[in-house]
């Protein structure tokens, strides 16, 4: 997370997040949470180590106890400057000492703990050797909704990231496509995202012609031709919060079939958006979008879920997919991105980030969803 994003939150915000996480851990039957450097640690404390190394850094959260951040002594000065530092205790350890022993003193010897997904295996195994009676569950499995409901400040940052991605699309639609490589247009997109405030570009998919039938096409050197459909899917982090949007453009005039498929996906995307409301299950968003495509006879060509959550990472829970019965709650943010992919021919995807409101949903992307013709 960048400094600009951290400045949007106070020490009290981080304190409240850590308290909420500890309560949710207790509700889930866990003895506590162990959080390694990564998105969860940033979200909970505002702390990003200058370098993630083999030295153990771990936030320990347990119900009824003060949060403790175990940190190498040489990293302690940076940790002390984190905005959330005043709401926790720092316990530093020096090289030559056993960090697992220092951490074990904070844990129930036979407890079950949630541990962040990006914790190093060597650190988890070190804890298990020191406390063989403990057991662990991944944080995503144990508390999938921990970061899912955004507060007002987070929603503001996500809206700004979405607006920046929209600005990038408005610019890219005026550049030349025909005769240029996919990688050239992708570089343009990356530059535009940075120009409009992104500190991190996570992906710039430019999938032209038959490459558009691959939802996660790796940008290559294919030269874009007149008559190509081109799927654009791009995003990253702006002030620590994610953007992710997709639009499908056409180089020159499309065929009737290309227009029909594009209109179908647009209708499906609108149906998915209309299904967003508090209390609805995540799978209802997927069902609504998928039904439109299936009814038109293209169901076998919609080959991925309808959406994913977004926040301090561009992909996180909740997921809009069949079988996910998690109810939508105001403040949740996720993509609605149905697509149709015709192998060897072309693909279409339209994607907006949507947040749940008190009575429905609000789009955080607002560029044209109709067919856009480019040169």
């Amino acid at each position: 997370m960048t400094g600009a994003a951290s400045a949007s939150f106070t020490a009290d915000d981080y304190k409240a997040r850590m308290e909420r996480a500890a309560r949710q851990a207790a509700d889930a039957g866990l003895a506590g949470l162990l959080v390694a450097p990564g998105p969860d640690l940033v979200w909970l404390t505002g702390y990003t180590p200058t370098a993630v190394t083999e030295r153990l850094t771990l936030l320990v959260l347990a119900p009824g106890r003060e949060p403790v951040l175990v940190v190498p002594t040489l990293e302690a000065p940076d940790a002390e400057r984190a905005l959330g530092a005043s709401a926790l205790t720092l316990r530093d350890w020096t090289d030559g000492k056993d960090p697992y022993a220092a951490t074990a003193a904070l844990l129930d010897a036979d407890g079950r703990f949630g541990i962040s997904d990006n914790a190093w295996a060597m650190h988890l195994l070190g804890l298990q050797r020191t406390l063989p009676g403990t057991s662990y569950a991944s944080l995503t499995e144990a508390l999938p909704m921990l970061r899912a409901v955004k507060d007002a400040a987070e929603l503001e940052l996500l809206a700004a990231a979405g607006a920046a991605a929209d600005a990038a699309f408005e610019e890219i639609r005026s550049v030349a496509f025909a005769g240029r490589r996919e990688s050239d247009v992708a570089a343009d997109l990356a530059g535009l995202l940075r120009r409009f405030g992104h500190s991190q570009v996570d992906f710039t998919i430019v999938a032209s012609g038959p490459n558009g039938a691959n939802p996660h096409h790796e940008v290559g050197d294919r030269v874009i031709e007149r008559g190509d459909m081109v799927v654009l899917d791009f995003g990253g982090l702006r002030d620590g919060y994610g953007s992710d949007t997709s639009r499908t453009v056409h180089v020159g005039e499309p065929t009737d079939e290309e227009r029909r498929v594009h209109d179908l996906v647009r209708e499906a995307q609108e149906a998915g958006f209309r299904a967003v409301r508090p209390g609805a299950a995540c799978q209802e968003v997927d069902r609504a979008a998928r039904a439109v495509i299936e009814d038109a006879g293209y169901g076998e060509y919609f080959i991925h879920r309808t959406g994913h959550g977004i926040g301090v990472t561009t992909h996180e829970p909740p997921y809009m997919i069949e079988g996910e019965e998690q109810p939508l709650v105001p403040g949740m943010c996720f993509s609605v991105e149905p697509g149709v992919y015709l192998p060897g021919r072309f693909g279409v995807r339209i994607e907006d980030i949507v947040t749940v409101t008190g009575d429905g949903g609000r789009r955080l992307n607002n560029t044209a969803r109709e067919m856009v013709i480019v040169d």
Side-chain angles (χ1 to χ4, degrees), residues 220-243:
D221 291 331
R222 182 183 186 275
V223 175
I224 301 170
E225 302 173 359
R226 187 160 297 278
D228 279 348
M229 195 84 89
V230 184
V231 179
L232 305 173
D233 183 353
F234 51 97
L237 298 182
R238 182 186 186 278
D239 290 340
Y241 278 74
S243 69

Side-chain angles (χ1 to χ4, degrees), residues 142-168:
L143 295 179
M145 296 298 116
L146 178 63
R147 304 195 318 253
V149 178
K150 275 63 179 179
D151 62 26
E154 290 181 292
L155 290 174
E156 184 177 337
L157 288 166
L158 282 162
D166 283 356

Side-chain angles (χ1 to χ4, degrees), residues 29-31 34 104 107-113 124-137:
L30 298 171
L34 307 177
L107 307 181
D108 294 339
D110 57 356
R112 180 169 178 78
F113 296 89
L124 176 57
L125 294 171
L127 288 173
Q128 288 179 317
R129 282 194 301 271
T130 305
L131 291 176
T134 55
S135 60
Y136 303 87

